[in-house]
Amino acid sequence: MKRLLLVTTMAIMVAPTSLIAHTATIRTQTPLAQDWRFRQDDKVADAQSPAFDDRDWSRVSVPHTWNRVGLYLPGPVERLHKAETINKAQGVGWYRLSFAAPKLEGRRAYLQFDAASRAAKVWVNGTYLGEHQGGFSRFRLDATEALRADGQNLLVVRTDNSKPAPGSTTANNLPLTGDFFVHGGLYRPVSLVLTNAVHFDMLDFGGPGVYAATTALSPAKAEIQIRARMRNELAKAHAVRVVTRLLDATGKVAAEAGAPVTLSPRSAQETTISLALADPHLWNGTTDPYLYRLDTDLVGQDGKVLDRVSTPFGVRQMAFDPDKGFLLNGKPYRLHGVGYHQDREGKGWAVDAADVEEDMATLRELGANTIRLTHYQHGQTIHDLADKYGFVLWDEIPLVSAWTTGGALEPTPALIQNARQQLQELIRQNYNHASVATWGIANEVDFGNSFPAFLTGYKDGKTPDPMPLLKTLNDLAHEEDPRRPTALATCCEGRVFAAGVDVPTTAEAADLGGANRYFGWYFGETGDLGPHLDALRAKRPRQPLSVTEYGGGGAVTMHTDDVLGGPIDSRGRTQPEEYESYIHETAWAALSQRSWLWGTWVWNAFDFGTTIRHEGDADDINTKGLVTYDRKIRKDAWYFYKANWTTTPTVHINGRRYVDRAYPVADVRVYSNGAATELTVNGQSVGQRADCPQHVCVWPAVRLQPGENVLVAKASFDGRAVEDRIVWRRPTDANAPIRIDTGALLGAGKAAAFGSDAFFKGGQARSANTPADYGRPEVRAAITGTDEIDVAASFRQGRFTYAIPAPPGRYSVRLTFVEPKLAAGERRFDVALNGARVLENLDIAAQAGGTLKALTKTFEARAADQGLTLDFNPIQGEAIVSAIEITPLPAAGP
């Protein structure tokens, strides 16, 4: 079926100057978006043939991907993805489009693909045009000879997002691995571009053919160098004039220059032009992201414009100092922002400009001023928006964690070439963006032999050396762009590993350092982050250092009463939202004090798809985002940064999704940047907090009434009140028991609900279960003697005390014990209730008859105003307890 296409024509209205004489209609760009036929099937053959019958194929529009990845577990929140809509197939996807093209009349025709994942082969009318390896960058193919003007044309594209493996069609196509899903298809726009025979080069690694950089800057003057690459497809030489003009925001010419060039036949060549700009208005980040427009024309001898490249252009100077951090236009400018993946629930990678604009609006409201575009080249929309709104960008190629397959110790020449190609495409396509500060050449290629061999395939502890490839890429980046530094992000330098683990030092392979560090999540304690960064800085005092990833998972359907109540399960299910907030509060406390860091990036802006995770309340989703995958829920941690990074009035009560509370008292945390913030519960003031550290205001042990509790936090900003209001609930029965799942970050229980561990002082949280790790699921202990196995599996051990806020009255106190591994006689301890010893020299294994057998003890006690106190005092080994149940008893009779 023949289809007429809307054509976007660039009509150039040329200002009357001595350099340009005529108005002309030049380059046209036609979107190829609708009426594609599609089939995802590795077995389809000869679909490139015009005779192939595609009538039973699906009809789709482009951008398109067949993949839908990532599923939140069933819960109270409605989700876009359902189990039946998930599609994780990786393989070949065919696209076919019939379209009518205009007459060429001597013009050249190029097919432009803004991205095709992860490899693509292209045919027009059965003629093979070429292929592209790499799923993230723009590429163009010359379709001039294959196109039939004034007739029906058939465009066929074979995409392939197969997982790289030895011998596969994508074996040398980066990324080889990574904690993100590589979606397939034509997930960015496709268009047909027509140019004159003499034009700015369309085959320059997908770049614009015109490249501009500020080479010198002072308050009075800016010098701008323009490098133009032109192509002459005529059979004879052609004389042209390259004319470049810089227009201010009003459209007035601020600077202009030109140079004559004689182009050789059927070839490409370059020339350079310098512009002198008086009194430059600087691009100054989010404060004043001023943009000029740079128009560069190819003008024929008759004065007609043959081609034009027009781009926004910001005049700025960026620098990186190991002591002062990042400097913008000579002044320190602290960069704080987020890492960003391009997918979203319901669309995968096939997002449109409005989706990206929505994401940018969320990040602007957050107060971010920088984005690390991870872990691959992103599209032009996010770059254009960063220019417009003053965000500073870290761009990078998809060299992630691996650069060989099948246990090989050396990368193939083809893979090295693919890495070089993707770096050249990244730089040339984004060279003109004022927002781009650095070119990232790798992410976490310093794992060494820290991963188990069953994951990597490497034998005898030997692993590939990343340094030769990093040197190749670092040198290439400097050749392509001498003015921007290179950067890479490390995972492992300076961390404590087991004996025999060797990790390479890769930070010195790039100009700028970046550290992905997850203290308190994957390793170490939260307080380790600051000293660790200090040690890295001391090791390389002249290399500017940044923190390129930090954070933790946050499941919005999982909650805890005490973030220290149990171990976080960073590779499993226990990942409450409150712990994510705790990670960010403690990390920002360290990062904000180190002004020498040239940038910090939260991991991640939004939850994103991956297929190596079954964690928190999701499968195949990394839940470290500040916002959920569908963009509908801003997690509590998002408001923490808004309160710290903006002056926008912010008052946010944490725990709004933890509605049905386990205990009659709770700590209330409010993120507020007001000078003073007041909390009321059920209309009664609980007090005011002023000048809260890091804008975290805390009211400890706030008592809740049975039934509904209305919490209101309020602050005044220049006379205007801003408040947040939430509702928490308690059982309507005032005599509801208090049940504590000791050692647990999340409460459990089948017959009755237990709350997470709380009200303790001292001891350590432990579990009889073996936690999940590196794709291996949790192994549950075979506990007997109780139906509440999940409750019994966790425990608190050591010397510790519980101060339980029970109202005055009589109570039954029931304690559950499980000996996880020690034999009789190896663990003995006393238990005191309100100071009186109720268990003496308790040996759980001896009384229960062995390990992993539940033992219960019950007592009566009376609580006074201070509640109930339980002391666990070791005699031999450490004391332990698995559950505490406090049940009110009827008042004693007369």
Side-chain angles (χ1 to χ4, degrees), residues 364-368 641-650 673 695:
R364 293 178 68 208
E365 185 180 350
L366 176 68
Y641 286 110
K642 183 180 180 182
N644 279 275
W645 290 352
T646 78
T647 58
T648 304
T650 302
N673 54 12
H695 303 297

Side-chain angles (χ1 to χ4, degrees), residues 309-365:
V309 169
S310 181
T311 181
F313 186 78
V315 178
R316 90 294 187 268
Q317 189 176 65
M318 293 178 174
F320 304 80
D321 186 276
D323 299 318
K324 298 179 182 178
F326 179 73
L327 293 91
L328 180 60
N329 302 321
K331 298 178 180 179
Y333 186 86
R334 296 206 68 176
L335 294 179
H336 50 257
V338 296
Y340 178 61
H341 273 293
Q342 65 185 0
D343 58 325
R344 65 165 51 198
E345 188 177 7
K347 290 190 172 184
W349 280 0
V351 297
D352 57 29
D355 295 323
V356 182
E357 177 77 68
E358 180 186 8
D359 286 352
M360 177 61 85
T362 299
L363 300 182
R364 293 178 68 208
E365 185 180 350

Side-chain angles (χ1 to χ4, degrees), residues 529-544:
L529 176 60
H532 175 84
L533 296 175
D534 295 339
L536 289 180
R537 185 190 187 205
K539 186 174 181 180
R540 279 182 301 277
R542 302 323 305 157
Q543 183 185 49

Side-chain angles (χ1 to χ4, degrees), residues 288-306:
D288 182 16
Y290 187 86
L291 292 172
Y292 292 88
R293 191 176 84 242
L294 183 69
D295 288 347
T296 305
D297 294 349
L298 271 181
V299 184
Q301 288 183 306
D302 58 0
K304 291 184 178 180
V305 178
L306 301 174

Side-chain angles (χ1 to χ4, degrees), residues 512-703:
L512 305 175
N516 298 349
R517 297 298 187 270
Y518 292 92
F519 288 100
W521 185 252
Y522 292 124
F523 46 79
E525 304 294 335
T526 55
D528 296 339
L529 176 60
H532 175 84
L533 296 175
D534 295 339
L536 289 180
R537 185 190 187 205
K539 186 174 181 180
R540 279 182 301 277
R542 302 323 305 157
Q543 183 185 49
L545 179 63
S546 66
V547 175
T548 34
E549 293 180 21
Y550 68 98
V556 298
T557 61
M558 295 181 177
H559 302 285
T560 185
D561 291 276
D562 191 324
V563 295
L564 302 180
I568 191 69
D569 192 359
S570 63
R571 302 187 189 280
R573 291 299 185 191
T574 302
Q575 299 182 1
E577 182 180 5
E578 291 79 7
Y579 196 88
E580 180 186 41
S581 299
Y582 167 70
I583 285 285
H584 286 290
E585 289 176 20
T586 54
W588 186 245
L591 300 177
S592 61
Q593 294 173 6
R594 288 164 171 80
S595 59
W596 42 267
L597 290 168
W598 70 264
T600 58
W601 290 270
V602 169
W603 191 255
N604 194 278
F606 306 94
D607 291 354
F608 60 90
T610 179
T611 52
I612 67 170
R613 293 179 180 272
H614 301 281
E615 301 173 2
D617 59 358
D619 287 331
D620 298 331
I621 296 176
N622 188 316
T623 60
K624 294 186 184 70
L626 299 178
V627 181
T628 53
Y629 198 15
D630 58 6
R631 278 52 172 179
K632 292 182 178 179
I633 298 176
R634 294 173 174 181
K635 304 178 189 181
D636 286 340
W638 187 92
Y639 292 92
F640 169 73
Y641 286 110
K642 183 180 180 182
N644 279 275
W645 290 352
T646 78
T647 58
T648 304
T650 302
V651 178
H652 175 83
I653 306 173
N654 286 6
R656 65 207 319 104
R657 282 168 287 279
Y658 181 12
V659 175
D660 293 305
R661 309 296 294 195
Y663 300 123
V665 299
D667 294 347
V668 180
R669 302 175 72 83
V670 175
Y671 296 144
S672 172
N673 54 12
T677 305
E678 183 182 22
L679 176 70
T680 64
V681 178
N682 301 321
Q684 300 297 311
S685 178
V686 187
Q688 195 175 79
R689 300 288 183 268
D691 300 320
C692 301
Q694 289 191 281
H695 303 297
V696 182
C697 302
V698 182
W699 288 262
V702 174
R703 187 162 291 276

